[in-house]
Amino acid sequence: MVSAYPHWQTVPLRWKDNDVYGHVNNVVHYSLMDTVINTWLIEQGGLDIEAGAVIGLCVESHCGYHSSVSFPGSLRVGLRVAHLGKSSVRYEIGMYAADESLVAEGHFVHVFVDRESRRPTPLVGKLREALEALQPG
């Protein structure tokens, strides 16, 4: 499990994450993927989400569910880059419970664009370096 992902982040579950069936609702898994990815991009890649010239747009996402989890608790979320293109990136995410059982796994695709024109822009500099660091091996 640990070697499968270059980056790990522990995310606490919240009371409001549970649905009427007593487990974390599926939309929360997507939110966790988005949160872990953007935390990495901001902290490691220097992405300025408020005023930067480049922004990442999600063009595809998927999540497969393997087991349920509920509040209280936390998830260990692993992050890696499966494909790094000129202006796009495909992340793979694994979400694990405290006992290391797989809860969910998914992918998320960003296309990086110019904030004003919304046209694809090449990934360069610190942002590209941060994404390269997430490639396994």
Side-chain angles (χ1 to χ4, degrees):
M1 175 180 93
V2 174
S3 63
Y5 299 94
H7 174 69
W8 288 92
Q9 184 174 333
T10 300
V11 182
L13 298 173
R14 303 159 307 170
W15 171 254
K16 72 177 194 168
D17 293 337
N18 284 359
D19 62 18
V20 297
Y21 301 114
H23 67 269
V24 170
N25 190 273
N26 60 328
V27 299
V28 174
H29 296 83
Y30 283 95
S31 178
L32 293 177
M33 287 193 291
D34 199 21
T35 297
V36 170
I37 291 166
N38 281 291
T39 299
W40 178 266
L41 293 174
I42 293 164
E43 292 179 355
Q44 303 300 318
L47 185 66
D48 181 349
I49 59 171
E50 295 178 9
V54 174
I55 60 172
L57 300 179
C58 177
V59 298
E60 180 182 333
S61 61
H62 170 80
C63 190
Y65 307 96
H66 297 275
S67 64
S68 66
V69 66
S70 60
F71 173 88
S74 61
L75 289 177
R76 293 266 298 142
V77 182
L79 177 64
R80 66 181 171 222
V81 166
H83 176 76
L84 182 57
K86 181 179 174 185
S87 61
S88 66
V89 60
R90 183 181 194 270
Y91 311 92
E92 293 178 341
I93 302 99
M95 295 174 230
Y96 294 83
D99 66 1
E100 298 188 3
S101 62
L102 180 62
V103 172
E105 58 189 343
H107 70 263
F108 196 99
V109 178
H110 263 152
V111 173
F112 288 85
V113 300
D114 176 84
R115 179 183 295 274
E116 298 302 320
S117 71
R118 303 292 177 160
R119 300 296 307 150
T121 189
L123 288 161
V124 296
K126 187 175 179 180
L127 183 57
R128 184 166 197 91
E129 290 169 13
L131 293 168
E132 288 172 346
L134 290 176
Q135 293 178 306

